[in-house]
Amino acid sequence: MDFFPLYNSLRIAIISSIITFFLGIFCAYEIKRLPRTLKGVLDVFLTLPLVLPPTVIGFFILKSLGPNSGLGSLIQSLSGTSVVMKWYSAIFATVIVTFPLMYRTARGAFEAFDEDLKYAAQTLGKSNKWIFWRLYLPNSKSGILAGLVLAFARALGEYGATSMVAGYTPGKTATISTTVYQLWRTGKDFEAYSWVMINVLISLLVLLCINILENREQTKLKVEKAGDFL
C-alpha cells in the first residue's frame, strides 16, 4: 500500500494549519477592536469561504494563480515553474477553506475574555503586546486550540478546491480525499475502503481532542465559579 497520500495530506494539513493559526489569531484580535460597522463588513468577507462551494474557491485560485493569469504568469516567468498542479498548490486552497474556522473560533474566544483584566493591566502600565501575550492568549487558549484542531481536520479532508488546483498525480499531488475518489472511479473499492477507514480514524482522533479541550474549559469554568462562591 502506497502511503504517499497520507504523508501528503498530513504535510498539507500541518503547513496550512500553521499559516491559518497565526493569520486567524491576528485577524481575530485586530478586527475585534474595530468599529462595529467595519467589523461586520470584514466578518462577512473573511467568513465567505465557509459558505462558498470548495469548487468555486478552486476556480478563483486558478483564475488568480493559474498560468493564464497575470500573477500566475509573472510567478512562472520568475521561478520557471507554475504554482498550480503541484503538491504545495493545495496549501493555497486549504488555507482559504480553513481560515474562517480558525478566525471565528478565535474571535469567539477573544470576545469571551474578561475586559476588566485588560483595563487592570493598562492601569499598571502594561503594553498592548504584553496584554495580548500574557492575558488574551492564555485565557483564550482552549478556544484557540479547538479552532486549530478544526482547521487541521478540515484541511486534511479537503477535496473540492484541492482537486482543482493540485489535481491528482500518484506520488506527487495525491491526497487521501483525491485517492479515495480515484480508487472508487476505477472500481478499486477495497483499496478505497482502506483509505476511508484511515480518514475516519483520524477524524475520530480529532473529535476526541476537541472534546478533551471542551471538557477542560468546562472544568476550568466550574472551578472559577466555585472559587467565586467561596
Side-chain angles (χ1 to χ4, degrees):
M1 186 175 183
D2 180 15
F3 285 98
F4 177 83
L6 176 61
Y7 162 72
N8 194 37
S9 295
L10 287 174
R11 67 172 171 177
I12 290 170
I14 291 171
I15 294 172
S16 62
S17 296
I18 292 172
I19 296 172
T20 304
F21 176 76
F22 290 104
L23 190 60
I25 289 176
F26 172 78
C27 291
Y29 181 70
E30 293 298 328
I31 291 174
K32 174 185 176 295
R33 302 186 294 172
L34 294 176
R36 180 177 299 179
T37 303
L38 182 57
K39 185 193 301 184
V41 173
L42 290 174
D43 269 345
V44 171
F45 177 75
L46 293 176
T47 56
L48 188 60
L50 195 62
V51 295
L52 283 177
T55 50
V56 172
I57 296 172
F59 174 80
F60 282 130
I61 295 174
L62 288 176
K63 287 299 181 181
S64 301
L65 299 177
N68 295 325
S69 66
L71 181 59
S73 60
L74 176 62
I75 294 174
Q76 188 166 353
S77 63
L78 293 175
S79 63
T81 184
S82 175
V83 293
V84 296
M85 299 304 157
K86 309 289 184 181
W87 75 266
Y88 50 80
S89 306
I91 295 174
F92 299 116
T94 50
V95 165
I96 294 174
V97 169
T98 60
F99 173 81
L101 293 172
M102 187 68 229
Y103 166 72
R104 297 297 299 186
T105 308
R107 266 285 306 278
F110 288 150
E111 288 177 350
F113 176 76
D114 186 358
E115 294 291 326
D116 290 337
L117 295 175
K118 183 185 75 172
Y119 299 141
Q122 288 175 339
T123 59
L124 295 174
K126 300 299 183 181
S127 65
N128 288 332
K129 183 182 294 186
W130 188 94
I131 292 172
F132 175 76
W133 288 104
R134 302 298 294 273
L135 292 179
Y136 268 99
L137 283 185
N139 286 279
S140 307
K141 62 181 180 181
S142 295
I144 291 173
L145 289 175
L148 177 61
V149 173
L150 284 172
F152 175 80
R154 182 68 182 84
L156 192 66
E158 165 56 29
Y159 172 77
T162 299
S163 63
M164 289 188 69
V165 301
Y168 172 79
T169 304
K172 293 184 178 180
T173 67
T175 63
I176 293 176
S177 299
T178 56
T179 299
V180 169
Y181 173 75
Q182 290 298 326
L183 290 173
W184 168 80
R185 191 176 64 85
T186 54
K188 300 177 181 178
D189 286 359
F190 179 77
E191 294 180 40
Y193 273 122
S194 301
W195 283 112
V196 167
M197 292 307 300
I198 290 173
N199 210 345
V200 168
L201 288 174
I202 295 173
S203 299
L204 289 173
L205 288 174
V206 168
L207 291 174
L208 179 62
C209 289
I210 294 174
N211 287 335
I212 291 173
L213 290 171
E214 289 179 347
N215 290 334
R216 285 183 178 179
E217 186 65 21
Q218 291 174 0
T219 303
K220 179 182 175 182
L221 290 174
K222 289 179 181 178
V223 170
E224 289 177 351
K225 288 180 179 179
D228 293 339
F229 177 77
L230 295 174

